[in-house]
Amino acid sequence: MAASKSVRGRLNGTGPVAVIDIGSNSVRLVVYERKARMPTMLFNEKILAGLGRGVAATGRLAQESVDLALKELSRLRALCDHIGVQETHIVATAAVRDAENGSRFVARVEEILGAKVRILNGNEEAYYSALGVIAGFWRPRGIVGDLGGGSLELVEVSGAKPGVGSTFPLGGLRLQEMSEGDISKARKITDESLKGYAWPRMEPGERTFYAVGGTWRSLARLHLVQNDYPLHVMHNYEIPAEEAIAFCRSISKRNLEDVPHAEVVSKQRRPLVPFGAVVMERALQAMNAEKVVMSATGVREGLLHEALPLDLREQDPLIEAARELAVLRARSPEFAEELIGWTDRIFAELGIDENEYERRLRHAACLLSDIGWRAHPDYRGEQSLNIISNAAFVGLDHAGRAYLAASVFYRHQGLGEAALSPVIRTLFTDRLRDRARILGAAMRVASLLTASMDGVLPHVTITRASDEMVMKLSPKLAALDGERLMKRFKQFARLFKSGCSIAIG
């Protein structure tokens, strides 16, 4: 029986879009809800077929890997039909383009999937990896490194513009085979391959290495668990370069089994992680990197990003994701939009210093302020915090994620620190915590005054003269004044060590 359209997302518009990525190590299907600035995944499945295994030595895709990949692709075709996918992009990378029997394999793939396969060359792979990072970060600056099973792509990225990409035969599978499993030999091969690359000159503060690819995500997951990092969100997970280099050296060994917490890496990935670590270590040193940042977005998201109209590509991915959640979950998405303008005016009136980054976070928090309302009142703050902490947001670092979660938590639960998750408290700075409390207190006033419905906030102003803060309601809102409103307004004013009053007129 065909699935009901109602379960395929709530913002379909252009309908489900699929990307099938046939890599040297994995074959993956990702189905996205629709074309959007940062599309939401409906379904995600992969199999580690190992198509690149043996290609460096034999020049051919191994029949066992081909059979496994084709069987999986038949399943993926059935899933796409069942979901109702309206548009499918199929790409193949290093193993298929390098193997002498790659074209025969592609013909079988096209027969199974009923669509053309695009074989990306190394420069194209680098380009789409960089576009994926542009899709997943806000104005990134640095070097994108995409490590697959058969190749490594490097490309400079600055804002919305990828540079010219370069490709190297340093994929995890290929390096393992070329080095015959010898880590010292793998280092020499990596250094020899990278020595001809002209690393772009970058100013201090710009030398960020954006790491793309499943092997590097596995490496970062191991680092995250070993360091007891409180938030298990891989996208935008940062490691200082010196620390990352030392960690890569510590796990560059033939067998990960004696490495603490190696079980968080899948058994199929474990043999490749040490070779991925070698490549990361040598790349970070050669680049003189300041930090490595993990990216969950890459070629697949880059393909979809390129297909968007210019006006959508220029949108802020964090704001658009928060706006979608408001549409799906808030009592009144229009109220959330009004809250942005209202807090703009308040922060300007009160002289609260904000940089562009902090302003973006405040706007996103306003859009997310009411997404937990369907929970029991005692748990709205906790539920909102959990959703925001773990949501598939992009264009957002972990400190910013903590700010969003905390400000919405304060909005529901009050400004007490004891109930706030220690996970959140450890992630954000004192400056962000203070601004989250201010915003949370302002949103508490707004939610009580308006019942979180639109149409009221444009007629309410807050001003400050000397040591008193005044909330002015238009005459038609006079009936909304009351003791509870005054109590919340006092709580807000105390953050500024100010008295307060409510005026009508």
Side-chain angles (χ1 to χ4, degrees), residues 184-224:
S184 296
K185 190 174 179 181
R187 283 199 179 95
K188 291 178 183 177
I189 292 170
T190 302
D191 288 343
E192 183 66 24
S193 186
L194 290 178
K195 72 178 183 181
Y197 182 61
W199 294 92
R201 291 186 178 182
M202 294 182 177
E203 297 298 321
E206 296 181 342
R207 295 194 293 270
T208 299
F209 188 79
Y210 295 94
V212 178
T215 297
W216 278 344
R217 284 194 296 273
S218 294
L219 180 154
R221 185 174 295 108
L222 183 58
H223 180 273
L224 179 150

mmCIF file of all heavy atoms in Angstrom, residues 184-224:
data_model
loop_
_atom_site.group_PDB
_atom_site.id
_atom_site.type_symbol
_atom_site.label_atom_id
_atom_site.label_comp_id
_atom_site.label_asym_id
_atom_site.label_seq_id
_atom_site.Cartn_x
_atom_site.Cartn_y
_atom_site.Cartn_z
ATOM 1 N N SER A 184 53.442 4.196 9.012
ATOM 2 C CA SER A 184 54.600 5.034 8.648
ATOM 3 C C SER A 184 54.655 5.247 7.148
ATOM 4 O O SER A 184 54.926 6.361 6.667
ATOM 5 C CB SER A 184 55.893 4.375 9.130
ATOM 6 O OG SER A 184 55.917 4.293 10.536
ATOM 7 N N LYS A 185 54.395 4.188 6.402
ATOM 8 C CA LYS A 185 54.380 4.305 4.950
ATOM 9 C C LYS A 185 53.234 5.208 4.488
ATOM 10 O O LYS A 185 53.380 5.995 3.544
ATOM 11 C CB LYS A 185 54.251 2.918 4.335
ATOM 12 C CG LYS A 185 54.468 2.876 2.832
ATOM 13 C CD LYS A 185 54.461 1.442 2.317
ATOM 14 C CE LYS A 185 54.656 1.406 0.811
ATOM 15 N NZ LYS A 185 54.624 0.004 0.298
ATOM 16 N N ALA A 186 52.077 5.131 5.183
ATOM 17 C CA ALA A 186 50.921 5.974 4.841
ATOM 18 C C ALA A 186 51.262 7.447 5.027
ATOM 19 O O ALA A 186 50.846 8.292 4.224
ATOM 20 C CB ALA A 186 49.725 5.584 5.699
ATOM 21 N N ARG A 187 52.035 7.773 6.073
ATOM 22 C CA ARG A 187 52.439 9.165 6.294
ATOM 23 C C ARG A 187 53.310 9.655 5.141
ATOM 24 O O ARG A 187 53.148 10.783 4.655
ATOM 25 C CB ARG A 187 53.197 9.291 7.618
ATOM 26 C CG ARG A 187 52.311 9.276 8.854
ATOM 27 C CD ARG A 187 53.043 9.856 10.061
ATOM 28 N NE ARG A 187 52.172 9.847 11.223
ATOM 29 C CZ ARG A 187 52.148 8.882 12.141
ATOM 30 N NH1 ARG A 187 52.964 7.842 12.017
ATOM 31 N NH2 ARG A 187 51.315 8.937 13.166
ATOM 32 N N LYS A 188 54.251 8.830 4.707
ATOM 33 C CA LYS A 188 55.147 9.228 3.618
ATOM 34 C C LYS A 188 54.365 9.436 2.324
ATOM 35 O O LYS A 188 54.609 10.391 1.580
ATOM 36 C CB LYS A 188 56.225 8.162 3.433
ATOM 37 C CG LYS A 188 57.216 8.086 4.587
ATOM 38 C CD LYS A 188 58.230 6.972 4.370
ATOM 39 C CE LYS A 188 59.186 6.865 5.572
ATOM 40 N NZ LYS A 188 60.141 5.738 5.399
ATOM 41 N N ILE A 189 53.422 8.524 2.046
ATOM 42 C CA ILE A 189 52.605 8.650 0.841
ATOM 43 C C ILE A 189 51.786 9.934 0.889
ATOM 44 O O ILE A 189 51.680 10.668 -0.109
ATOM 45 C CB ILE A 189 51.681 7.424 0.694
ATOM 46 C CG1 ILE A 189 52.503 6.171 0.401
ATOM 47 C CG2 ILE A 189 50.639 7.657 -0.402
ATOM 48 C CD1 ILE A 189 51.701 4.883 0.480
ATOM 49 N N THR A 190 51.212 10.233 2.062
ATOM 50 C CA THR A 190 50.391 11.438 2.219
ATOM 51 C C THR A 190 51.231 12.698 2.016
ATOM 52 O O THR A 190 50.842 13.617 1.291
ATOM 53 C CB THR A 190 49.726 11.456 3.606
ATOM 54 O OG1 THR A 190 48.924 10.280 3.762
ATOM 55 C CG2 THR A 190 48.846 12.683 3.776
ATOM 56 N N ASP A 191 52.405 12.739 2.663
ATOM 57 C CA ASP A 191 53.268 13.910 2.526
ATOM 58 C C ASP A 191 53.696 14.109 1.073
ATOM 59 O O ASP A 191 53.719 15.244 0.567
ATOM 60 C CB ASP A 191 54.510 13.758 3.415
ATOM 61 C CG ASP A 191 54.186 13.910 4.895
ATOM 62 O OD1 ASP A 191 53.096 14.437 5.202
ATOM 63 O OD2 ASP A 191 55.006 13.494 5.725
ATOM 64 N N GLU A 192 54.035 13.027 0.401
ATOM 65 C CA GLU A 192 54.473 13.112 -0.985
ATOM 66 C C GLU A 192 53.347 13.633 -1.872
ATOM 67 O O GLU A 192 53.567 14.448 -2.781
ATOM 68 C CB GLU A 192 54.934 11.734 -1.465
ATOM 69 C CG GLU A 192 55.484 11.716 -2.885
ATOM 70 C CD GLU A 192 56.777 12.501 -3.022
ATOM 71 O OE1 GLU A 192 57.493 12.684 -2.008
ATOM 72 O OE2 GLU A 192 57.068 12.957 -4.152
ATOM 73 N N SER A 193 52.122 13.182 -1.606
ATOM 74 C CA SER A 193 50.973 13.583 -2.423
ATOM 75 C C SER A 193 50.605 15.041 -2.191
ATOM 76 O O SER A 193 50.250 15.754 -3.136
ATOM 77 C CB SER A 193 49.782 12.676 -2.109
ATOM 78 O OG SER A 193 48.706 12.935 -2.974
ATOM 79 N N LEU A 194 50.720 15.502 -0.944
ATOM 80 C CA LEU A 194 50.272 16.862 -0.608
ATOM 81 C C LEU A 194 51.335 17.930 -0.849
ATOM 82 O O LEU A 194 51.012 19.123 -0.843
ATOM 83 C CB LEU A 194 49.838 16.924 0.866
ATOM 84 C CG LEU A 194 48.561 16.185 1.254
ATOM 85 C CD1 LEU A 194 48.318 16.313 2.758
ATOM 86 C CD2 LEU A 194 47.352 16.730 0.491
ATOM 87 N N LYS A 195 52.598 17.528 -1.074
ATOM 88 C CA LYS A 195 53.656 18.537 -1.092
ATOM 89 C C LYS A 195 53.530 19.508 -2.266
ATOM 90 O O LYS A 195 54.035 20.635 -2.202
ATOM 91 C CB LYS A 195 55.020 17.870 -1.092
ATOM 92 C CG LYS A 195 55.420 17.195 -2.397
ATOM 93 C CD LYS A 195 56.817 16.615 -2.273
ATOM 94 C CE LYS A 195 57.283 15.987 -3.593
ATOM 95 N NZ LYS A 195 58.628 15.401 -3.464
ATOM 96 N N GLY A 196 52.846 19.092 -3.320
ATOM 97 C CA GLY A 196 52.685 19.984 -4.454
ATOM 98 C C GLY A 196 51.484 20.903 -4.366
ATOM 99 O O GLY A 196 51.274 21.749 -5.255
ATOM 100 N N TYR A 197 50.692 20.781 -3.291
ATOM 101 C CA TYR A 197 49.486 21.608 -3.175
ATOM 102 C C TYR A 197 49.852 22.991 -2.650
ATOM 103 O O TYR A 197 50.550 23.127 -1.639
ATOM 104 C CB TYR A 197 48.482 20.943 -2.239
ATOM 105 C CG TYR A 197 47.184 21.704 -2.081
ATOM 106 C CD1 TYR A 197 46.355 21.942 -3.160
ATOM 107 C CD2 TYR A 197 46.787 22.194 -0.839
ATOM 108 C CE1 TYR A 197 45.169 22.638 -3.027
ATOM 109 C CE2 TYR A 197 45.592 22.886 -0.688
ATOM 110 C CZ TYR A 197 44.789 23.104 -1.779
ATOM 111 O OH TYR A 197 43.615 23.794 -1.638
ATOM 112 N N ALA A 198 49.388 24.012 -3.331
ATOM 113 C CA ALA A 198 49.645 25.396 -2.905
ATOM 114 C C ALA A 198 48.568 25.814 -1.916
ATOM 115 O O ALA A 198 47.478 26.240 -2.302
ATOM 116 C CB ALA A 198 49.645 26.323 -4.118
ATOM 117 N N TRP A 199 48.861 25.669 -0.632
ATOM 118 C CA TRP A 199 47.883 26.030 0.389
ATOM 119 C C TRP A 199 47.603 27.535 0.326
ATOM 120 O O TRP A 199 48.541 28.342 0.326
ATOM 121 C CB TRP A 199 48.397 25.657 1.777
ATOM 122 C CG TRP A 199 48.537 24.185 1.981
ATOM 123 C CD1 TRP A 199 49.646 23.430 1.755
ATOM 124 C CD2 TRP A 199 47.514 23.287 2.406
ATOM 125 N NE1 TRP A 199 49.385 22.115 2.021
ATOM 126 C CE2 TRP A 199 48.087 21.991 2.436
ATOM 127 C CE3 TRP A 199 46.184 23.441 2.777
ATOM 128 C CZ2 TRP A 199 47.376 20.862 2.810
ATOM 129 C CZ3 TRP A 199 45.461 22.328 3.165
ATOM 130 C CH2 TRP A 199 46.046 21.058 3.183
ATOM 131 N N PRO A 200 46.365 27.956 0.254
ATOM 132 C CA PRO A 200 46.045 29.387 0.177
ATOM 133 C C PRO A 200 46.537 30.137 1.407
ATOM 134 O O PRO A 200 46.543 29.606 2.522
ATOM 135 C CB PRO A 200 44.510 29.404 0.108
ATOM 136 C CG PRO A 200 44.130 28.039 -0.361
ATOM 137 C CD PRO A 200 45.146 27.118 0.194
ATOM 138 N N ARG A 201 46.964 31.371 1.180
ATOM 139 C CA ARG A 201 47.364 32.209 2.315
ATOM 140 C C ARG A 201 46.124 32.734 3.022
ATOM 141 O O ARG A 201 45.217 33.266 2.384
ATOM 142 C CB ARG A 201 48.212 33.382 1.821
ATOM 143 C CG ARG A 201 49.578 32.965 1.303
ATOM 144 C CD ARG A 201 50.408 34.189 0.962
ATOM 145 N NE ARG A 201 51.746 33.822 0.500
ATOM 146 C CZ ARG A 201 52.679 34.694 0.167
ATOM 147 N NH1 ARG A 201 52.401 36.006 0.216
ATOM 148 N NH2 ARG A 201 53.868 34.289 -0.226
ATOM 149 N N MET A 202 46.114 32.609 4.331
ATOM 150 C CA MET A 202 44.956 33.049 5.100
ATOM 151 C C MET A 202 45.432 33.809 6.328
ATOM 152 O O MET A 202 46.470 33.488 6.916
ATOM 153 C CB MET A 202 44.103 31.852 5.535
ATOM 154 C CG MET A 202 43.457 31.122 4.376
ATOM 155 S SD MET A 202 42.434 29.756 4.942
ATOM 156 C CE MET A 202 41.770 29.208 3.380
ATOM 157 N N GLU A 203 44.638 34.789 6.715
ATOM 158 C CA GLU A 203 44.947 35.592 7.884
ATOM 159 C C GLU A 203 44.623 34.811 9.155
ATOM 160 O O GLU A 203 43.807 33.876 9.136
ATOM 161 C CB GLU A 203 44.131 36.890 7.862
ATOM 162 C CG GLU A 203 44.437 37.799 6.686
ATOM 163 C CD GLU A 203 45.876 38.267 6.679
ATOM 164 O OE1 GLU A 203 46.407 38.554 7.785
ATOM 165 O OE2 GLU A 203 46.458 38.339 5.592
ATOM 166 N N PRO A 204 45.259 35.179 10.272
ATOM 167 C CA PRO A 204 44.886 34.562 11.549
ATOM 168 C C PRO A 204 43.386 34.702 11.800
ATOM 169 O O PRO A 204 42.786 35.739 11.509
ATOM 170 C CB PRO A 204 45.696 35.373 12.569
ATOM 171 C CG PRO A 204 46.891 35.856 11.799
ATOM 172 C CD PRO A 204 46.374 36.132 10.412
ATOM 173 N N GLY A 205 42.770 33.651 12.299
ATOM 174 C CA GLY A 205 41.330 33.629 12.516
ATOM 175 C C GLY A 205 40.562 33.049 11.354
ATOM 176 O O GLY A 205 39.358 32.792 11.459
ATOM 177 N N GLU A 206 41.267 32.809 10.220
ATOM 178 C CA GLU A 206 40.599 32.266 9.033
ATOM 179 C C GLU A 206 41.055 30.854 8.698
ATOM 180 O O GLU A 206 40.500 30.222 7.808
ATOM 181 C CB GLU A 206 40.867 33.175 7.822
ATOM 182 C CG GLU A 206 40.302 34.565 7.949
ATOM 183 C CD GLU A 206 40.579 35.421 6.722
ATOM 184 O OE1 GLU A 206 41.496 35.057 5.938
ATOM 185 O OE2 GLU A 206 39.885 36.433 6.539
ATOM 186 N N ARG A 207 42.055 30.339 9.413
ATOM 187 C CA ARG A 207 42.651 29.042 9.043
ATOM 188 C C ARG A 207 41.869 27.883 9.666
ATOM 189 O O ARG A 207 42.354 27.173 10.551
ATOM 190 C CB ARG A 207 44.128 29.012 9.422
ATOM 191 C CG ARG A 207 44.964 30.020 8.638
ATOM 192 C CD ARG A 207 46.454 29.754 8.767
ATOM 193 N NE ARG A 207 46.945 29.972 10.123
ATOM 194 C CZ ARG A 207 47.393 31.126 10.572
ATOM 195 N NH1 ARG A 207 47.376 32.195 9.782
ATOM 196 N NH2 ARG A 207 47.829 31.234 11.804
ATOM 197 N N THR A 208 40.646 27.750 9.186
ATOM 198 C CA THR A 208 39.759 26.679 9.635
ATOM 199 C C THR A 208 39.744 25.563 8.602
ATOM 200 O O THR A 208 39.640 25.825 7.404
ATOM 201 C CB THR A 208 38.325 27.207 9.837
ATOM 202 O OG1 THR A 208 38.336 28.217 10.846
ATOM 203 C CG2 THR A 208 37.380 26.086 10.259
ATOM 204 N N PHE A 209 39.856 24.337 9.073
ATOM 205 C CA PHE A 209 39.776 23.167 8.202
ATOM 206 C C PHE A 209 38.411 22.523 8.409
ATOM 207 O O PHE A 209 38.108 22.023 9.492
ATOM 208 C CB PHE A 209 40.893 22.180 8.541
ATOM 209 C CG PHE A 209 41.003 21.020 7.575
ATOM 210 C CD1 PHE A 209 41.631 21.180 6.354
ATOM 211 C CD2 PHE A 209 40.478 19.777 7.895
ATOM 212 C CE1 PHE A 209 41.747 20.115 5.468
ATOM 213 C CE2 PHE A 209 40.587 18.708 7.012
ATOM 214 C CZ PHE A 209 41.220 18.880 5.796
ATOM 215 N N TYR A 210 37.554 22.566 7.386
ATOM 216 C CA TYR A 210 36.229 21.966 7.445
ATOM 217 C C TYR A 210 36.327 20.519 6.963
ATOM 218 O O TYR A 210 36.630 20.265 5.795
ATOM 219 C CB TYR A 210 35.241 22.743 6.572
ATOM 220 C CG TYR A 210 34.987 24.155 7.068
ATOM 221 C CD1 TYR A 210 35.722 25.228 6.556
ATOM 222 C CD2 TYR A 210 34.027 24.409 8.034
ATOM 223 C CE1 TYR A 210 35.501 26.522 7.004
ATOM 224 C CE2 TYR A 210 33.804 25.702 8.490
ATOM 225 C CZ TYR A 210 34.539 26.754 7.979
ATOM 226 O OH TYR A 210 34.318 28.034 8.433
ATOM 227 N N ALA A 211 36.097 19.581 7.853
ATOM 228 C CA ALA A 211 36.297 18.164 7.556
ATOM 229 C C ALA A 211 34.983 17.509 7.148
ATOM 230 O O ALA A 211 34.007 17.528 7.915
ATOM 231 C CB ALA A 211 36.879 17.454 8.772
ATOM 232 N N VAL A 212 34.964 16.932 5.947
ATOM 233 C CA VAL A 212 33.784 16.289 5.381
ATOM 234 C C VAL A 212 34.109 14.815 5.145
ATOM 235 O O VAL A 212 35.211 14.483 4.727
ATOM 236 C CB VAL A 212 33.387 16.959 4.048
ATOM 237 C CG1 VAL A 212 32.179 16.266 3.431
ATOM 238 C CG2 VAL A 212 33.121 18.455 4.236
ATOM 239 N N GLY A 213 33.133 13.946 5.395
ATOM 240 C CA GLY A 213 33.304 12.531 5.081
ATOM 241 C C GLY A 213 33.100 11.633 6.284
ATOM 242 O O GLY A 213 33.392 12.019 7.425
ATOM 243 N N GLY A 214 32.595 10.432 6.021
ATOM 244 C CA GLY A 214 32.223 9.515 7.092
ATOM 245 C C GLY A 214 33.384 9.061 7.957
ATOM 246 O O GLY A 214 33.232 8.893 9.176
ATOM 247 N N THR A 215 34.559 8.852 7.362
ATOM 248 C CA THR A 215 35.705 8.408 8.163
ATOM 249 C C THR A 215 36.119 9.488 9.142
ATOM 250 O O THR A 215 36.415 9.213 10.312
ATOM 251 C CB THR A 215 36.885 8.031 7.245
ATOM 252 O OG1 THR A 215 36.492 6.925 6.431
ATOM 253 C CG2 THR A 215 38.107 7.640 8.053
ATOM 254 N N TRP A 216 36.135 10.740 8.697
ATOM 255 C CA TRP A 216 36.497 11.824 9.616
ATOM 256 C C TRP A 216 35.407 12.078 10.652
ATOM 257 O O TRP A 216 35.708 12.446 11.789
ATOM 258 C CB TRP A 216 36.815 13.096 8.822
ATOM 259 C CG TRP A 216 38.232 13.080 8.298
ATOM 260 C CD1 TRP A 216 39.248 12.265 8.707
ATOM 261 C CD2 TRP A 216 38.785 13.926 7.288
ATOM 262 N NE1 TRP A 216 40.398 12.548 8.025
ATOM 263 C CE2 TRP A 216 40.153 13.558 7.143
ATOM 264 C CE3 TRP A 216 38.273 14.943 6.501
ATOM 265 C CZ2 TRP A 216 41.003 14.188 6.244
ATOM 266 C CZ3 TRP A 216 39.116 15.580 5.593
ATOM 267 C CH2 TRP A 216 40.470 15.210 5.462
ATOM 268 N N ARG A 217 34.152 11.880 10.304
ATOM 269 C CA ARG A 217 33.096 12.000 11.325
ATOM 270 C C ARG A 217 33.262 10.915 12.387
ATOM 271 O O ARG A 217 33.039 11.167 13.576
ATOM 272 C CB ARG A 217 31.713 11.936 10.684
ATOM 273 C CG ARG A 217 31.301 13.213 9.966
ATOM 274 C CD ARG A 217 29.819 13.244 9.649
ATOM 275 N NE ARG A 217 29.424 12.201 8.728
ATOM 276 C CZ ARG A 217 29.475 12.316 7.397
ATOM 277 N NH1 ARG A 217 29.913 13.443 6.848
ATOM 278 N NH2 ARG A 217 29.076 11.329 6.623
ATOM 279 N N SER A 218 33.651 9.708 11.973
ATOM 280 C CA SER A 218 33.896 8.638 12.945
ATOM 281 C C SER A 218 35.056 8.997 13.857
ATOM 282 O O SER A 218 35.015 8.764 15.073
ATOM 283 C CB SER A 218 34.190 7.324 12.218
ATOM 284 O OG SER A 218 33.064 6.864 11.506
ATOM 285 N N LEU A 219 36.097 9.573 13.283
ATOM 286 C CA LEU A 219 37.248 10.020 14.070
ATOM 287 C C LEU A 219 36.819 11.059 15.104
ATOM 288 O O LEU A 219 37.186 10.975 16.285
ATOM 289 C CB LEU A 219 38.293 10.590 13.112
ATOM 290 C CG LEU A 219 39.614 11.142 13.637
ATOM 291 C CD1 LEU A 219 40.682 11.043 12.551
ATOM 292 C CD2 LEU A 219 39.493 12.602 14.066
ATOM 293 N N ALA A 220 36.020 12.019 14.670
ATOM 294 C CA ALA A 220 35.571 13.082 15.574
ATOM 295 C C ALA A 220 34.645 12.530 16.654
ATOM 296 O O ALA A 220 34.678 12.991 17.799
ATOM 297 C CB ALA A 220 34.862 14.178 14.785
ATOM 298 N N ARG A 221 33.817 11.547 16.294
ATOM 299 C CA ARG A 221 32.933 10.940 17.295
ATOM 300 C C ARG A 221 33.755 10.266 18.391
ATOM 301 O O ARG A 221 33.422 10.342 19.576
ATOM 302 C CB ARG A 221 31.995 9.936 16.631
ATOM 303 C CG ARG A 221 30.951 9.346 17.588
ATOM 304 C CD ARG A 221 29.950 8.469 16.867
ATOM 305 N NE ARG A 221 29.155 9.259 15.925
ATOM 306 C CZ ARG A 221 29.278 9.199 14.604
ATOM 307 N NH1 ARG A 221 30.153 8.363 14.051
ATOM 308 N NH2 ARG A 221 28.524 9.942 13.829
ATOM 309 N N LEU A 222 34.824 9.618 18.010
ATOM 310 C CA LEU A 222 35.710 8.990 18.985
ATOM 311 C C LEU A 222 36.337 10.045 19.894
ATOM 312 O O LEU A 222 36.408 9.872 21.121
ATOM 313 C CB LEU A 222 36.794 8.199 18.240
ATOM 314 C CG LEU A 222 37.782 7.405 19.080
ATOM 315 C CD1 LEU A 222 37.066 6.400 19.975
ATOM 316 C CD2 LEU A 222 38.783 6.682 18.168
ATOM 317 N N HIS A 223 36.770 11.152 19.318
ATOM 318 C CA HIS A 223 37.341 12.244 20.118
ATOM 319 C C HIS A 223 36.289 12.801 21.073
ATOM 320 O O HIS A 223 36.569 13.055 22.255
ATOM 321 C CB HIS A 223 37.851 13.344 19.185
ATOM 322 C CG HIS A 223 38.448 14.517 19.897
ATOM 323 N ND1 HIS A 223 37.682 15.595 20.338
ATOM 324 C CD2 HIS A 223 39.735 14.783 20.260
ATOM 325 C CE1 HIS A 223 38.480 16.474 20.927
ATOM 326 N NE2 HIS A 223 39.720 16.019 20.891
ATOM 327 N N LEU A 224 35.092 13.009 20.575
ATOM 328 C CA LEU A 224 33.998 13.565 21.374
ATOM 329 C C LEU A 224 33.715 12.696 22.590
ATOM 330 O O LEU A 224 33.596 13.195 23.725
ATOM 331 C CB LEU A 224 32.760 13.699 20.486
ATOM 332 C CG LEU A 224 31.457 14.238 21.038
ATOM 333 C CD1 LEU A 224 30.675 14.953 19.932
ATOM 334 C CD2 LEU A 224 30.593 13.123 21.601
#
